[in-house]
Amino acid sequence: EVGYEVIVTPLSPLAGNLDQTNSAFRGKQSRTSKQLLLDSFLKEFSWKPLAEEEEYFIDPSVEQESGKTTHDATKFLISWFGGRINTEKNSPIAILTANGGVGKTTVSRILASRIRRFDPSAIPILVESEQWRHLLQSNITLETLWDLAISSCFENAGRLLSNETALRVLVREGLFVVVFDGFDELCLNQSSSFRPKDVIGELIQLLTPEDE
């Protein structure tokens, strides 16, 4: 069979009608780069079942930076993750703040368990303190945190571990959706070498598209 495959980015106008794009470029097939990764690179990995949700979870409200209060925080945040809500600054990072003990970790876990229901192609990567709390006194790096989080998601994470290029591509294509919990435990613990500014800087570098 002659011809070539047309690959377009998910946000490209060409992705709106792949059949038309395929016809215009005379390709034998057209796919988005996101679908290509799902069909090829990620095909070899199987993810672990997500933990069951809290039985008596009550969805809190969330107050945006503008002062607007939205009920059903997890629904709002999942819509934001899916690109269906544009915030004032349209940033790839949102920070959820609240007093200690009010349920940020529970909300993070609920988000991770519900994201795939809304977008089956999205793979939630939950980074939480239970994964690395016992390692704080050792000289761990942010790369170690990613490896621990990814290992908790996949049965056979091998080629994804310590692979910054794969992590960056999968996050930017919207396949990996990162929920980073325990920021305060990570940066404020006396045994930790992490500094808030450095961690936020690395997250911004990871999540921000190269052309911005």
Side-chain angles (χ1 to χ4, degrees):
E1 183 180 356
V2 296
Y4 55 89
E5 186 171 7
V6 180
I7 306 297
V8 299
T9 63
L11 297 180
S12 168
L14 296 174
N17 189 327
L18 288 176
D19 290 336
Q20 183 175 325
T21 297
N22 194 58
S23 176
F25 286 91
R26 298 180 182 178
K28 64 178 182 179
Q29 182 182 1
S30 291
R31 287 187 287 181
T32 64
S33 51
K34 181 176 181 178
Q35 190 62 49
L36 175 65
L37 287 166
L38 275 172
D39 295 341
S40 55
F41 182 68
L42 286 176
K43 190 175 182 180
E44 67 182 85
F45 303 102
S46 56
W47 41 82
K48 299 176 182 178
L50 295 170
E52 294 185 5
E53 294 185 7
E54 296 282 345
E55 185 176 359
Y56 300 109
F57 174 73
I58 298 175
D59 210 348
S61 299
V62 61
E63 182 179 327
Q64 300 178 50
E65 190 174 1
S66 63
K68 179 183 178 182
T69 298
T70 303
H71 301 295
D72 299 326
T74 56
K75 291 182 180 179
F76 171 81
L77 291 170
I78 288 171
S79 293
W80 176 81
F81 273 122
R84 294 183 291 275
I85 292 179
N86 291 322
T87 57
E88 296 164 355
K89 297 182 180 179
N90 201 26
S91 170
I93 296 178
I95 300 177
L96 181 65
T97 62
N99 294 329
V102 302
K104 295 188 298 296
T105 293
T106 300
V107 168
S108 297
R109 291 174 178 174
I110 293 292
L111 279 174
S113 70
R114 292 182 179 178
I115 282 171
R116 295 206 65 213
R117 297 183 195 172
F118 289 83
D119 183 358
S121 68
I123 302 170
I125 305 296
L126 176 61
V127 185
E128 60 176 350
S129 59
E130 290 300 318
Q131 299 164 354
W132 42 258
R133 191 192 305 274
H134 63 290
L135 297 174
L136 277 180
Q137 293 184 350
S138 61
N139 189 26
I140 63 172
T141 64
L142 197 56
E143 183 179 79
T144 304
L145 301 189
W146 290 124
D147 284 351
L148 289 170
I150 291 171
S151 295
S152 71
C153 295
F154 292 95
E155 299 286 357
N156 51 340
R159 289 176 60 200
L160 290 171
L161 300 181
S162 302
N163 190 338
E164 183 179 348
T165 300
L167 177 62
R168 187 184 302 276
V169 170
L170 293 168
V171 167
R172 292 180 178 181
E173 288 289 340
L175 289 165
F176 277 7
V177 179
V178 178
V179 181
F180 198 110
D181 181 50
F183 182 84
D184 48 351
E185 290 115 321
L186 179 67
C187 296
L188 299 180
N189 191 292
Q190 293 181 347
S191 303
S192 174
S193 60
F194 291 94
R195 297 293 176 265
K197 184 177 180 180
D198 297 335
V199 175
I200 291 175
E202 288 196 48
L203 289 174
I204 291 174
Q205 184 179 22
L206 173 72
L207 298 171
T208 304
E210 294 178 357
D211 58 351
E212 292 186 9

